[in-house]
Amino acid sequence: MLDMKFVRDNLDFVRTMLKNRNNSLNLDNFAELEQKRRDLLNEVEQLKTQRNSTSKKIGAMKKAGEDTAAISAEMRAVGDKISALDNELKNVEENLRDILLHIPNIPKDDVPVGKDDSENPEIRRHGTPRTFDFTPKAHWEIGENLKILDADRAAKVTGARFTFYKGLGARLERACINFMMDLHANKHGYTEMLAPYIVNKDSMIGTGQLPKFAEDMFKLEGLDYYLVPTAEVPTTNYHRDEILSAENLPEYFSCYTACFRAEAGAAGRDTRGLIRQHQFNKVELIKFTTPETSWAELESMVDAAEDVLRILEIPYRVVLLCTGDMSFTSAKTYDIEVWMPAQNKYREISSCSNCTDYQARRANIKFRRDNKSKPEFVHTLNGSGIAVGRTVAAILENYQNEDGSVTVPKALIPYMGGVEVIKTQG
């Protein structure tokens, strides 16, 4: 959330930012509401001052034996007016907060202005896509042929965009999770976390999923609980309403969860396979930092996410998201895109973002530089370290063999109990 004073003093800038982000939010009544808020605050303060001084006068009159009935009745009327104004002020502040909750974060100066992902500049590539001497199959076809993925039975049990993993398919998914968690904990210094899969409304507001993206979430009927769309939500809210010590920053957390997304805006996209599921596994990276270190911490987070693919020896590229493609809460985002041979293109497998103080302001997460310092908002960062189902999809396509089998990446063989090749199962 942006600071109200900043928005008030920079309305034209904020309007331009919204346009660059393809956001149609109307701010026409913001200045009027904000002025009304200040006017009400001033009027209430004057009335309270009047009430306090008159109360002292009434006390003195009573001591002197004077009649206070008239002046007491006047003060009761003042009290009623204060109560009415407080209610009006509350409504105005709620309307202002709702507007602020719908304003996205301000992109960093070096984020390119663009309309969509077609205008995301490529930053770097790693690895060379494999040249096949046969036509590579899509990962869902490979999985079905090997009998390690079963979308048809998942559709029967639940519905579209769900998948059963079976046998070595389930083992491969679990191997990827364990490999990623070990890598980030042992090599990159992240504290391992396991978080709740259910969060409350305040948590969803804190990280920016609510109120704007309610239709993308799975809400538990009759409760103010939601299934987590990403481990970013519970892990970032771990420090909600806290003041941290600067000496303990930065903090790194690596958290595995299943993720649940309605994919409301994805009709007709990636209807087959593991790319866009309602339920999927992901290892998430979270950082809490001081403002002056957050940009360097973003670069190191991206490197940690890239390391997964470097070790698995799967080609990928890194792109910088333009203003029209970046997430609501982000000030700068890098996407890591993995090579998918059957599609002959790179597909997103990780997004790493610096949210600056945007989420911290919503979730009230601060730090103090020392005992005498005024609390400041931390900077929060999050990134996929990485999406597990998409990693499995990339392994199946990049490591497939002509006979339909799939070679297990060397780094995963210990996690696969020594299995080196996935072959047709019964």
Side-chain angles (χ1 to χ4, degrees), residues 183-203:
L183 175 69
H184 296 311
N186 299 333
K187 182 176 179 180
H188 299 297
Y190 286 79
T191 298
E192 184 171 345
M193 298 277 277
L194 277 176
Y197 287 8
I198 297 172
V199 294
N200 58 33
K201 182 179 179 180
D202 286 343
S203 294

Side-chain angles (χ1 to χ4, degrees), residues 54-79:
T54 304
S55 294
K56 293 179 181 178
K57 183 178 178 180
I58 291 173
M61 290 174 67
K62 286 182 177 180
K63 284 184 179 181
E66 298 178 29
D67 183 9
T68 62
I71 195 170
S72 294
E74 181 184 341
M75 283 305 97
R76 284 194 293 273
V78 169

Side-chain angles (χ1 to χ4, degrees), residues 196-225:
Y197 287 8
I198 297 172
V199 294
N200 58 33
K201 182 179 179 180
D202 286 343
S203 294
M204 297 289 270
I205 291 173
T207 43
Q209 280 73 24
L210 292 179
K212 184 173 176 59
F213 303 104
E215 67 174 3
D216 292 326
M217 307 303 146
F218 283 112
K219 186 177 187 299
L220 276 63
E221 186 174 1
L223 299 170
D224 250 354
Y225 285 166

